[in-house]
């Protein structure tokens, strides 16, 4: 009976500003306990989404590809950090992946990636990227250390970090911005679809979680429907 009453509430940082709350169910959580947690979140003025307990819960898992695919593209020479960030922001996203990793903290973002990677059985698609690993090993943490993928002066982003740029010696496969955006979003969509099949969360809650936590204009399923319609 005790385990049936266990339920998690995962708030996002900063909690005073972020509306989203993940209501995390364990394997024995009762419907009544989950409903009570959901009601509490609503009473606090938050928007709850339901998620099965697991590595990364909902948002942190589904958006791993935002960071990982961007790093793979950079390593392939598909564009500079600035160009790849711009491909995402020009498409309506509030912050590019390299800027966002710097803001979160490279070592924090890497630790989350490693935790999810290990917790899910080390799937290749979620392998931590060597680029971020090397930068963290070199002591770069992003905004807090005044250098990550970019340099920061008084907390404001300046140029790309020459040390980070030097890890990618040449550009060999430049991609158009729309192709960059498509590669990243297709990977996020694929992870979202897998999570639905695994019973981690519903498509509706995944879209809600991504739009509220990441401030994306559309979640992966809504984006996918638009992309499919455009191809038809």
């Amino acid at each position: 009976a005790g385990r049936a009453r266990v339920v998690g509430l995962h708030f996002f940082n900063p909690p005073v500003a972020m509306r989203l709350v993940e209501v995390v169910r364990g394997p024995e959580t009762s419907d009544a306990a989950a409903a009570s947690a959901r009601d509490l979140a609503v009473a606090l003025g938050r928007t709850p989404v339901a998620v099965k307990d697991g590595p990364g819960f909902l948002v942190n898992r589904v958006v791993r590809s935002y960071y990982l695919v961007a790093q793979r593209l950079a390593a392939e020479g598909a564009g500079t950090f600035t160009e790849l960030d711009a491909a995402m922001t020009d498409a309506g996203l509030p912050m590019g992946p390299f800027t966002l990793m710097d803001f979160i903290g490279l070592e924090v973002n890497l630790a989350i990636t490693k935790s999810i990677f290990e917790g899910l059985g080390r799937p290749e698609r979620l392998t931590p990227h060597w680029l971020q690993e090397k930068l963290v090993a070199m002591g770069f943490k992003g905004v807090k250390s005044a250098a990550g993928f970019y340099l920061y002066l008084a907390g404001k982003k300046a140029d790309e970090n020459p040390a980070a740029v030097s890890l990618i010696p040449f550009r060999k496969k430049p991609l158009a911005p729309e192709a960059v955006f498509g590669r990243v979003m297709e990977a996020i969509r694929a992870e979202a679809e897998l999570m639905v099949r695994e019973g981690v969360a519903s498509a509706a809650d995944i879209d809600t979680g991504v739009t509220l936590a990441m401030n994306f204009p559309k979640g992966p399923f809504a984006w996918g429907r638009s992309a499919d319609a455009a191809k038809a």
Side-chain angles (χ1 to χ4, degrees):
R3 292 182 180 179
R5 298 171 61 191
V6 175
V7 60
L9 287 177
H10 179 220
F11 292 79
F12 285 76
N13 190 44
V16 294
M18 299 293 283
R19 288 169 47 204
L20 183 70
V21 173
E22 293 176 335
V23 178
V24 185
R25 296 186 63 143
E28 298 180 38
T29 301
S30 69
D31 290 343
S36 293
R38 190 177 185 89
D39 290 345
L40 174 60
V42 172
L44 292 172
R46 301 300 197 271
T47 301
V49 292
V51 57
K52 183 173 72 174
D53 188 22
F57 301 144
L58 191 163
V59 173
N60 275 319
R61 175 178 169 182
V62 77
V63 301
R64 277 310 93 195
S65 294
Y66 192 57
Y67 314 113
L68 291 171
V69 174
Q71 290 178 83
R72 291 174 200 147
L73 289 169
E76 292 170 9
T80 64
F81 306 137
T82 302
E83 290 167 344
L84 295 172
D85 270 355
M88 306 309 292
T89 57
D90 288 351
L93 276 60
M95 193 177 291
F98 297 100
T99 301
L100 184 53
M101 282 186 280
D102 275 358
F103 179 78
I104 293 168
L106 296 189
E107 84 289 5
V108 174
N109 186 268
L110 178 60
I112 295 170
T113 298
K114 287 182 174 179
S115 175
I116 294 172
F117 174 66
E118 295 292 344
L120 291 175
R122 301 172 65 86
E124 184 178 359
R125 71 185 186 281
L126 298 178
T127 302
H129 200 273
W130 61 262
L131 180 57
Q132 191 172 26
E133 289 180 323
K134 285 190 175 183
L135 288 173
V136 171
M138 294 164 70
F140 296 119
K141 297 181 178 181
V143 178
K144 69 181 76 173
S145 68
F149 289 103
Y150 298 96
L151 300 176
Y152 295 85
L153 300 175
K156 295 187 180 296
K157 187 169 71 173
D159 297 326
E160 293 184 359
N161 181 359
V165 173
S166 70
L167 296 174
I168 305 169
F170 56 87
R171 295 179 63 180
K172 56 184 178 181
K173 297 179 181 178
L175 279 183
E178 58 271 20
V180 170
F181 181 77
R183 279 269 298 269
V184 173
M185 292 305 297
E186 284 291 356
I188 294 174
R189 179 188 186 184
E191 192 68 31
E193 290 172 343
L194 178 60
M195 290 169 67
V196 170
R197 292 197 298 273
E198 292 176 350
V200 173
S202 70
D205 276 353
I206 290 173
D207 271 2
T208 297
V210 170
T211 54
L212 290 182
M214 300 291 288
N215 203 23
F216 283 14
K218 294 180 181 179
F221 290 100
W223 173 83
R225 289 191 294 272
S226 297
D228 290 344
K231 294 175 185 176

